[in-house]
Amino acid sequence: MKHSKIQSDGAILLSTFPDEKSLIRLCKVLVADKRLCACVNYTKINSLYTWENELKQEEEFLAIFKTTSKLIDALKTEITVNHPYQIPEIIVLSMKDVSSDYMLWLVNNTRTT
Amino acid sequence: MKHSKIQSDGAILLSTFPDEKSLIRLCKVLVADKRLCACVNYTKINSLYTWENELKQEEEFLAIFKTTSKLIDALKTEITVNHPYQIPEIIVLSMKDVSSDYMLWLVNNTRTT
Amino acid sequence: MKHSKIQSDGAILLSTFPDEKSLIRLCKVLVADKRLCACVNYTKINSLYTWENELKQEEEFLAIFKTTSKLIDALKTEITVNHPYQIPEIIVLSMKDVSSDYMLWLVNNTRTT
């Protein structure tokens, strides 16, 4: 089943969270209730960064949200408003290509607008 | 050794797997036998998604395949055909830039076409 | 607080390391001393790759550096020169979009040139 190269209109959003509990609580709303993304993967990470000129080394959780390009702005806003951090990391990566079956799954598991 | 900015023709492919065993079995074929990618990194993740309108929370493995742009379609097809999931996640990200030594290593460790 | 779509000039750099110690040592210099990136996330991964035609399966650490586009070449050079590997993976991904507050934080926590 050769995968036709469809014009991808999927998008990935990266954000880090202080703990698993707040991450899961927000993700359940975004995936199941608001249907702003079809899937979230997350994993524990270590982070090094400066905060008020002091080097910090902390455990965080990296969340990888997958959605359609149409919904990315609404997803960004919803995460920003409900995120536990004052200045959350919210980075969007574009999908250069995506298999057509998976893209269809993304579309079918998110709201239309 | 200042790195000249070479026109990157590398590509990254992301896919999730239900277990480590099926991931490793496929990756060995893709890296060592078919030489469709030079390297795969993988790590355990947690995933939240809806399947047939039900919220699922499961452990998966995220695999990050690194190859040349020339081979990305063949890699996509090979993963799709041999993946344990009925609808596998197959997402391609483009490398905006890559160090020339690493790009050379990618080319030397994958087949030409 | 609707996030205005600002022209992102953020960038992500991916690199893998053989151990946590060498990763942290380099990251502290890059984040706190040279201010070439504002933040690094890292996590343990497993890697499959061929080295001199032999399939290798090893534990590594994946580091995700976040900085401004202006600093990405200097960051690439600094990592290449100080990396424990002879041929380090150095891959740059562009940020298609980024929340304006986080972008401002990136700019404020890195040097200007």
Side-chain angles (χ1 to χ4, degrees):
Chain A
M1 183 175 59
K2 172 127 183 46
H3 262 275
S4 62
K5 186 186 282 290
I6 66 158
Q7 201 287 329
S8 139
D9 67 349
I12 288 176
L13 187 148
L14 305 177
S15 191
T16 51
F17 288 77
D19 58 80
E20 197 167 5
K21 215 172 132 202
S22 65
L23 184 154
I24 291 177
R25 191 172 49 234
L26 180 53
C27 289
K28 282 184 175 174
V29 171
L30 296 171
V31 172
D33 306 340
K34 307 223 171 191
R35 294 171 53 90
L36 280 173
C37 54
C39 156
V40 187
N41 308 134
Y42 68 87
T43 192
K44 194 182 282 185
I45 54 171
N46 295 283
S47 298
L48 285 131
Y49 61 95
T50 42
W51 189 262
E52 288 154 10
N53 287 318
E54 216 192 301
L55 183 67
K56 301 276 183 186
Q57 210 170 329
E58 276 162 16
E59 235 180 43
E60 289 187 299
F61 287 82
L62 173 64
I64 306 170
F65 299 82
K66 275 154 263 172
T67 189
T68 64
S69 308
K70 257 191 313 189
L71 294 173
I72 197 72
D73 282 345
L75 181 62
K76 268 176 68 182
T77 302
E78 200 69 27
I79 292 173
T80 303
V81 169
N82 297 290
H83 201 285
Y85 283 150
Q86 190 200 341
I87 304 179
E89 167 187 305
I90 296 187
I91 296 172
V92 176
L93 303 178
S94 52
M95 295 185 188
K96 185 169 184 233
D97 192 9
V98 56
S99 62
S100 42
D101 291 349
Y102 185 72
M103 189 65 225
L104 202 59
W105 182 79
L106 279 182
V107 171
N108 292 339
N109 284 277
T110 48
R111 66 184 202 207
T112 45
T113 55
Chain B
M1 184 173 65
K2 175 129 182 43
H3 262 274
S4 63
K5 185 186 285 291
I6 65 158
Q7 202 286 328
S8 138
D9 67 351
I12 288 176
L13 186 148
L14 306 178
S15 191
T16 51
F17 288 76
D19 59 80
E20 196 167 9
K21 214 171 129 203
S22 64
L23 183 155
I24 292 177
R25 190 172 48 231
L26 180 54
C27 289
K28 283 184 174 174
V29 170
L30 296 171
V31 172
D33 305 342
K34 304 220 172 195
R35 294 170 55 91
L36 280 172
C37 54
C39 157
V40 187
N41 309 133
Y42 68 87
T43 191
K44 194 183 282 186
I45 53 171
N46 295 282
S47 298
L48 285 132
Y49 60 96
T50 42
W51 189 262
E52 286 153 12
N53 287 319
E54 216 193 303
L55 183 67
K56 301 277 185 185
Q57 211 170 327
E58 276 162 14
E59 235 180 43
E60 289 187 300
F61 287 83
L62 173 65
I64 307 170
F65 299 81
K66 273 153 263 168
T67 190
T68 64
S69 307
K70 257 190 312 186
L71 294 174
I72 199 71
D73 281 344
L75 181 63
K76 268 177 68 184
T77 302
E78 200 68 28
I79 292 174
T80 304
V81 169
N82 297 289
H83 200 286
Y85 283 149
Q86 189 200 342
I87 303 179
E89 167 186 304
I90 296 187
I91 296 172
V92 175
L93 304 179
S94 52
M95 296 184 188
K96 185 166 184 238
D97 192 10
V98 55
S99 61
S100 41
D101 292 348
Y102 185 72
M103 189 65 225
L104 202 59
W105 181 79
L106 278 182
V107 171
N108 292 339
N109 283 278
T110 48
R111 69 186 200 205
T112 45
T113 54
Chain C
M1 185 175 61
K2 174 128 183 43
H3 261 275
S4 62
K5 185 184 285 291
I6 65 158
Q7 200 284 332
S8 138
D9 66 353
I12 289 176
L13 186 148
L14 306 177
S15 190
T16 50
F17 287 76
D19 58 80
E20 197 167 6
K21 216 171 131 205
S22 65
L23 184 154
I24 291 177
R25 191 172 50 233
L26 180 54
C27 290
K28 283 184 174 173
V29 171
L30 296 171
V31 172
D33 306 341
K34 305 221 172 194
R35 294 171 52 92
L36 280 172
C37 54
C39 157
V40 186
N41 308 134
Y42 68 87
T43 192
K44 194 182 282 186
I45 55 171
N46 295 282
S47 297
L48 285 131
Y49 60 95
T50 42
W51 189 262
E52 286 154 11
N53 286 319
E54 217 193 305
L55 183 67
K56 302 277 184 184
Q57 210 171 328
E58 276 162 16
E59 236 179 45
E60 288 187 300
F61 288 82
L62 173 64
I64 306 170
F65 299 80
K66 275 155 261 171
T67 190
T68 64
S69 308
K70 257 189 313 188
L71 294 174
I72 197 72
D73 281 345
L75 180 62
K76 266 176 70 184
T77 302
E78 201 68 27
I79 292 174
T80 304
V81 169
N82 298 290
H83 200 286
Y85 283 150
Q86 191 200 340
I87 303 179
E89 168 187 305
I90 297 187
I91 296 171
V92 176
L93 303 178
S94 52
M95 296 184 187
K96 184 164 186 238
D97 192 10
V98 56
S99 61
S100 41
D101 293 348
Y102 185 72
M103 190 64 226
L104 202 58
W105 181 79
L106 278 182
V107 172
N108 292 338
N109 283 278
T110 48
R111 67 185 202 207
T112 44
T113 55

